[in-house]
Amino acid sequence: KIAFSGYRNGFFRSIYVMNANGTNTVRLTNEAGNDEEPSFGPNGKIVFSSTRDPNAEIYIMNDDGTGQTRLTNNISSDTGPSISPDGSKIAFTTSRNYPGGTTFQGICVMNVNGTNETCLDNGTVDFSPSYGPNGKIAFVSLALTVVAGSRSGSGANHASAKRNIATARFKADSPKIRA
């Protein structure tokens, strides 16, 4: 199956699934807000971001559209979720404003039920996390670097790039990064 977001039936983007050959397209969400960036996880779950609240938050649902549950709840923008291979964690991009004018834009990781959120601060702007099959997270750093590290952010390996990178994903059957 393929999950995607689009404007097929209205003003707001919705989440759809279809067979890999393009048949049997089914709309899973239909809310007043943009539902975007779906990512399949194990055990029939899909995580996605939505502006239905109205700022972007992270949601999870079953792959048939049932059980839509909001996982983050704050005034910041939470986007680009990715579920770990074992289905226990979700990595996502956030932009947080803290008292005193401090701003954090980077990667956070939480349990699949929305608890135990931890932000991984590399001292730069990081975004577009993607879990690889080995449980490491690939993400893009403002320094135009693709990074692969452990779930806790430790053991990061940087791969410099000479072009603008928007996303980084692991190849499905390999721990190597495709940028």
Side-chain angles (χ1 to χ4, degrees), residues 22-104:
T23 62
N24 196 27
T25 300
V26 177
R27 185 179 189 172
L28 301 182
T29 64
N30 187 18
E31 299 291 330
N34 289 314
D35 295 335
E36 309 177 280
E37 306 172 306
S39 178
F40 274 108
N43 304 323
K45 299 290 184 184
I46 297 174
V47 291
F48 62 100
S49 64
S50 177
T51 59
R52 59 178 81 165
D53 296 312
N55 63 307
E57 300 288 357
I58 305 299
Y59 283 76
I60 193 167
M61 66 179 164
N62 297 317
D63 62 4
D64 64 0
T66 62
Q68 295 181 26
T69 304
R70 182 176 170 174
L71 297 178
T72 60
N73 185 7
N74 52 65
I75 60 172
S76 65
S77 177
D78 297 328
T79 60
S82 177
I83 302 180
S84 64
D86 66 4
S88 67
K89 301 284 184 187
I90 298 172
F92 60 97
T93 302
T94 191
S95 179
R96 305 279 167 99
N97 293 313
Y98 295 107
T102 303
T103 301
F104 171 81

Side-chain angles (χ1 to χ4, degrees), residues 74-147:
N74 52 65
I75 60 172
S76 65
S77 177
D78 297 328
T79 60
S82 177
I83 302 180
S84 64
D86 66 4
S88 67
K89 301 284 184 187
I90 298 172
F92 60 97
T93 302
T94 191
S95 179
R96 305 279 167 99
N97 293 313
Y98 295 107
T102 303
T103 301
F104 171 81
Q105 185 169 348
I107 306 299
C108 291
V109 176
M110 65 183 165
N111 292 335
V112 74
N113 65 2
T115 62
N116 199 27
E117 183 180 298
T118 303
C119 294
L120 314 175
D121 189 354
N122 282 341
T124 185
V125 175
D126 302 322
F127 56 94
S128 192
S130 177
Y131 275 101
N134 59 3
K136 291 190 174 193
I137 302 170
F139 60 92
V140 179
S141 175
L142 188 61
L144 296 180
T145 305
V146 178
V147 181

Side-chain angles (χ1 to χ4, degrees), residues 164-179:
N164 190 2
I165 299 172
T167 60
R169 301 286 184 253
F170 281 90
K171 184 179 174 201
D173 61 350
S174 170
K176 295 192 185 238
I177 299 171
R178 300 248 177 176

